[in-house]
Amino acid sequence: MGYKDFPRQSALNERHLALGSKLDAEWNGMPIPQTYATDPYEETTTVRSRAGLFDVTGLRLVNVSGPDAEAMLNAMLTSDVSALKPGESAISNIVDDEGSLIDDVLVYRDGPQDFRLSHGGGSLEEALPLFTEGRNVTVAKDDDVHILSLQGPLALDILKAHTPLDLAGLKYFRHARTTLFGYDVSLARGGYSAERGYEVFCAAKDAVAIWDAIMEAGRPFGICAASWACLDIVRVEGALLFFPFDMPQPDTTPWEVGADWTVDLSKPDFRGKAALERRRNEIRFRQVGLEVLDDEAVPPGSRIFYEGREVGTLNSSTYSRHLMKSLGLAHLPPELASLGTAVEIRTDKGNLAANVVRTPFYDPMRLRTHPLDERA
């Protein structure tokens, strides 16, 4: 199967091919640039010190609007959507009747009755009919919109002169309709890199022109095009979870992956609420970060042992050349989740020593994404 055979296509395919990608990987039915001709570690250095431009159009977007949109989303999601004002967004989750995670969702509120849902590989779209029936709400997938994500400490400097929006004043998890290089876009402050960054939502017809304009504007700042291999490195360094890879057990609850902040048990009934109340006291494992004493990334899925007993799994991993450490995101029993706990990871390479450490591995106070002068 070639990249043109996938059901979804990015308007930026030709740009990725020119950068050396074979487009031989896919996500959500769309070919993605897993690698370019450049070294993902060099791309990571650029993202950490200057800025890198990612094409994350592989995300899936769903527009939800109508008089019952807020009530419908509150019935489906674990967080309280009514707390969002137009121009604000928040990470939320969807659980099933047993309180098990079936998707994570980024909710954008565009107006009193207008929302956008951005999600990855979970079951949002399968769940939607359960909540739209009998409600005055319109739900529509949007396969036209493209998402360009500029991440890095110089992202603001690259973009601010090319939009009338006060980009410097746009806080994390805020977004606004505006223009960029003269094209109609929605600009959001956020990303998946543990850096200051901005996501550009644009029409497919404008995506190539905006990509080229950002790359040209970023040239004096040392910008690079950044691959999905780079994206995986920076997101693990930032301890940012990726559904479903960091939730390999299908009955995982938000409590078990440190996502309790996405659950509002004080709001009226929502799907899985009773199960979540019950399972809050049934924690089987905790989300932890591991430093592994090795000079390579450990394969995801590797088994973790403590005193000869199998106790967990390594879910995501990378070797961070930036931090000079082999890193992993894992699940361990609560009694083994304390900082400093020594465990062993068994791999084809041999038995590797590892220790539970504080996360995020990079920027532990999250000052890059949440500067102190922006915190309420």
Side-chain angles (χ1 to χ4, degrees), residues 182-202:
Y183 296 96
D184 291 331
V185 300
S186 175
L187 274 175
R189 172 109 174 256
Y192 208 44
S193 68
E195 293 290 347
R196 186 184 192 115
Y198 299 91
E199 294 183 313
V200 183
F201 296 79
C202 66

Side-chain angles (χ1 to χ4, degrees), residues 4-45:
K4 293 182 180 180
D5 296 320
F6 290 107
R8 300 176 65 210
Q9 295 290 321
S10 170
L12 294 163
N13 282 349
E14 294 302 317
R15 291 294 181 269
H16 302 320
L17 291 168
L19 289 162
S21 174
K22 294 182 174 59
L23 292 179
D24 52 358
E26 69 86 26
W27 189 51
N28 289 334
M30 176 174 283
I32 58 173
Q34 185 63 32
T35 57
Y36 292 132
T38 45
D39 185 341
Y41 286 117
E42 294 300 326
E43 297 166 17
T44 299
T45 297

Side-chain angles (χ1 to χ4, degrees), residues 17-230:
L17 291 168
L19 289 162
S21 174
K22 294 182 174 59
L23 292 179
D24 52 358
E26 69 86 26
W27 189 51
N28 289 334
M30 176 174 283
I32 58 173
Q34 185 63 32
T35 57
Y36 292 132
T38 45
D39 185 341
Y41 286 117
E42 294 300 326
E43 297 166 17
T44 299
T45 297
T46 300
V47 171
R48 293 282 179 241
S49 60
R50 295 183 288 279
L53 183 60
F54 299 87
D55 175 12
V56 293
T57 307
L59 287 163
R60 293 186 287 185
L61 285 181
V62 178
N63 297 320
V64 179
S65 61
D68 294 339
E70 180 182 291
M72 171 258 176
L73 292 174
N74 261 340
M76 181 176 70
L77 301 173
T78 58
S79 58
D80 187 357
V81 176
S82 66
L84 293 177
K85 300 175 183 176
E88 296 181 344
S89 60
I91 295 173
S92 190
N93 282 292
I94 307 176
V95 298
D96 61 19
D97 293 333
E98 297 304 314
S100 302
L101 288 163
I102 62 171
D103 210 343
D104 58 354
V105 181
L106 185 51
V107 186
Y108 297 87
R109 187 164 202 162
D110 294 323
Q113 299 182 2
D114 298 297
F115 299 83
R116 281 175 291 148
L117 307 180
S118 170
H119 73 115
S123 301
L124 165 66
E125 291 171 31
E126 290 81 355
L128 281 168
L130 300 174
F131 302 95
T132 57
E133 185 175 358
R135 289 190 169 101
N136 187 0
V137 62
T138 300
V139 173
K141 289 195 298 183
D142 190 342
D143 283 332
D144 180 74
V145 70
H146 278 47
I147 312 172
L148 282 57
S149 184
L150 184 65
Q151 301 291 308
L154 299 186
L156 174 62
D157 296 318
I158 292 170
L159 295 182
K160 65 183 181 181
H162 305 287
T163 176
L165 180 67
D166 175 19
L167 206 56
L170 190 68
K171 293 186 177 182
Y172 203 58
F173 281 116
R174 300 293 191 275
H175 63 280
R177 294 293 308 181
T178 184
T179 59
L180 182 67
F181 301 104
Y183 296 96
D184 291 331
V185 300
S186 175
L187 274 175
R189 172 109 174 256
Y192 208 44
S193 68
E195 293 290 347
R196 186 184 192 115
Y198 299 91
E199 294 183 313
V200 183
F201 296 79
C202 66
K205 65 181 178 60
D206 299 328
V208 172
I210 294 174
W211 174 279
D212 290 347
I214 294 173
M215 292 298 292
E216 181 63 27
R219 185 180 300 176
F221 298 90
I223 194 176
C224 77
S227 65
W228 279 59
C230 169

Side-chain angles (χ1 to χ4, degrees), residues 283-360:
I283 307 300
R284 300 162 299 170
F285 50 82
R286 297 284 186 189
Q287 181 72 41
V288 302
L290 294 176
E291 283 187 6
V292 188
L293 300 183
D294 197 37
D295 60 355
E296 296 179 332
V298 179
S302 297
R303 298 180 299 161
I304 303 172
F305 290 77
Y306 178 78
E307 295 182 347
R309 173 173 56 97
E310 185 172 348
V311 293
T313 59
L314 188 72
N315 301 324
S316 290
S317 63
T318 194
Y319 182 78
S320 170
R321 189 184 292 176
H322 186 79
L323 300 175
M324 296 300 292
K325 293 176 180 179
S326 182
L327 308 174
L329 299 173
H331 290 164
L332 289 178
E335 66 272 17
L336 299 179
S338 299
L339 298 181
T341 300
V343 296
E344 182 179 79
I345 303 176
R346 295 188 184 175
T347 72
D348 292 340
K349 188 175 181 178
N351 297 337
L352 305 175
N355 296 281
V356 177
V357 298
R358 190 181 306 278
T359 56

